[in-house]
Amino acid sequence: MEQLSIAVAGLGRMGKRHVHTLIYRVPRARVVAVCSTVPDEVEWAKNNEEYKEFGIAVYSNYDDMLAHQGLNAVWVSTSTDVHASQTLAAIEKGIHVLCEKPLSTDLKEAQSVVDIANQHPELKVMAGFSRRFDASYRDASDKIFQGQAIGSPFMVRSNTCDLRDDTGFFVRYAGRNGGIFVDCAIHDIDLSLWYLGNPVPKACWAAGTLQHHPELKDLSDVDNAVGMVEFWGGKIAYFYCSRTQAHGHDVCTEITGSDGKIMVNVMPRSNHVVVADKLGMRNQVPPEYWQRFEDAFAVEANEFTEAVLKDKPVPLPLENGIMVMKIGRALQDALLTGQLVRFDENGERV
């Protein structure tokens, strides 16, 4: 059976998990290499018995990894500020790319990735919007567009709320992620475009607050924020982002239509266990995004692998990420300036 030889760039929490998923849950992919520029991560990988068992080469330089003999594809799982440059370097080498969202913290740079990828139709280049591969979100889409369950959808309320981090990891990462809306709300923005039928934004506004990480003030960022998007044609999206939830990773989406409403994960839960005692009835909540979306990442990896091996279109067109970035950046600018950000009917900022 033909297999896809793939490498993973980045060995933070996300990269390590992608390696594990590719090894154990993607039968037609074979991890041949990993890389990191963080010395501790490189040392950890070189001493990892599992990586040795599977013959995974460890690199401290991304370009050296791209030169690995027989490499077909790379999964870019590094910090957002190098997504574009690493994706472009892989394209230049004739290597397929699955790049984590977003393509860049800069809109022009993200557009350059799309433009150059389009000049290489022989390569599969995809941005990883993992919630599109989640079974519940896909079921919601089927009910909206195939079952006409709620009539015509006109409003999406979606939030991404992370467990409060007291280790310092989030603050260290925050300076490289583009801000709370570009990093935290990017999936919610993508979902709103999906469920509302790819509407064109008309106006964005936002407000935020610092409740737990005062250090973010020096980075012109916040740890809790609300954003709203008005689209041409009367559709609306509302987003809540938080880095300070006490109970766990809380991700939910509501889609309201002319004849009803669909709700996804409004009451987050790790499993179907409910404890009933003198305190009432309660369930556990996933501590972070991986526990909620581990299956979605596996589906994403399998569908990307199939697209490469069978020369099929990637499941998500790369261009989808551009409008998501436009809205994310507009919300971030509205947050920082306190001003309304407007778009014309072609989706270009006024």
Side-chain angles (χ1 to χ4, degrees):
M1 179 176 67
E2 184 184 6
Q3 284 189 304
L4 178 71
S5 295
I6 189 169
V8 175
L11 286 173
R13 287 185 292 184
M14 193 73 172
K16 291 173 183 175
R17 288 163 170 170
H18 287 324
V19 172
H20 188 271
T21 295
L22 288 163
I23 289 174
Y24 294 105
R25 302 191 63 178
V26 189
R28 300 201 66 182
R30 182 170 65 93
V31 183
V32 297
V34 295
C35 80
S36 173
T37 57
V38 180
D40 289 346
E41 293 177 357
V42 174
E43 189 66 21
W44 173 88
K46 287 182 176 179
N47 294 321
N48 186 282
E49 292 299 325
E50 186 177 52
Y51 288 16
K52 292 178 182 178
E53 179 184 350
F54 284 93
I56 299 173
V58 180
Y59 293 91
S60 58
N61 180 279
Y62 180 74
D63 291 330
D64 290 344
M65 186 190 72
L66 291 184
H68 185 91
Q69 187 174 4
L71 182 65
N72 304 132
V74 62
W75 193 322
V76 175
S77 185
T78 46
S79 58
T80 305
D81 57 338
V82 295
H83 281 181
S85 60
Q86 292 186 340
T87 298
L88 292 172
I91 293 172
E92 185 178 340
K93 293 283 188 180
I95 295 171
H96 307 283
V97 188
L98 199 170
C99 179
E100 279 301 324
K101 59 77 188 170
L103 292 172
S104 172
T105 57
D106 180 80
L107 185 58
K108 290 183 179 179
E109 191 176 46
Q111 184 63 58
S112 72
V113 173
V114 174
D115 293 341
I116 293 173
N118 286 337
Q119 295 172 19
H120 293 272
E122 74 281 5
L123 296 178
K124 310 299 179 185
V125 185
M126 188 178 97
F129 288 95
S130 53
R131 292 186 200 175
R132 295 259 190 158
F133 300 88
D134 176 70
S136 295
Y137 282 114
R138 284 186 165 183
D139 184 46
S141 175
D142 290 342
K143 286 179 167 57
I144 292 169
F145 296 113
Q146 297 180 24
Q148 302 295 312
I150 60 172
S152 178
F154 65 86
M155 181 177 293
V156 168
R157 180 184 72 85
S158 194
N159 65 251
T160 295
C161 299
D162 291 334
L163 179 67
R164 187 171 63 215
D165 171 46
D166 292 314
T167 68
F169 170 81
F170 165 64
V171 173
R172 290 193 300 271
Y173 172 69
R176 306 178 68 182
N177 68 7
I180 194 166
F181 285 110
V182 174
D183 179 55
C184 193
I186 206 80
H187 288 297
D188 303 293
I189 298 168
D190 179 58
L191 290 174
S192 71
L193 295 175
W194 186 18
Y195 292 137
L196 295 177
N198 294 314
V200 176
K202 181 178 182 181
C204 297
W205 58 101
T209 180
L210 283 166
Q211 293 297 314
H212 190 73
H213 298 293
E215 311 96 307
L216 293 178
K217 183 177 181 180
D218 294 334
L219 300 173
S220 300
D221 205 1
V222 297
D223 55 26
N224 282 263
V226 170
M228 289 188 65
V229 182
E230 178 189 10
F231 296 97
W232 291 96
K235 297 181 179 182
I236 301 172
Y238 164 93
F239 309 119
Y240 171 43
C241 313
S242 175
R243 298 295 196 184
T244 64
Q245 296 301 293
H247 59 284
H249 186 63
D250 191 342
V251 172
C252 74
T253 302
E254 292 183 352
I255 310 100
T256 301
S258 55
D259 298 324
K261 179 168 70 173
I262 288 176
M263 296 165 282
V264 180
N265 202 45
V266 172
M267 292 294 291
R269 54 196 308 152
S270 295
N271 51 41
H272 297 290
V273 175
V274 176
V275 176
D277 58 17
K278 62 183 180 181
L279 298 177
M281 300 180 71
R282 62 193 184 278
N283 61 271
Q284 290 184 312
V285 176
E288 55 177 310
Y289 62 90
W290 188 259
Q291 286 77 15
R292 169 65 181 87
F293 292 108
E294 182 177 1
D295 289 343
F297 283 114
V299 173
E300 178 183 44
N302 276 285
E303 292 190 7
F304 175 75
T305 298
E306 182 181 29
V308 174
L309 293 177
K310 295 186 177 181
D311 193 21
K312 298 167 56 177
V314 291
L316 292 181
L318 193 61
E319 289 80 0
N320 284 16
I322 297 300
M323 184 56 76
V324 175
M325 272 292 296
K326 284 184 178 182
I327 294 173
R329 287 259 39 111
L331 288 169
Q332 198 70 28
D333 291 344
L335 172 69
L336 297 178
T337 64
Q339 302 296 315
L340 187 71
V341 177
R342 297 186 180 277
F343 293 81
D344 63 24
E345 292 186 59
N346 295 317
E348 300 299 329
R349 281 177 67 159
V350 176

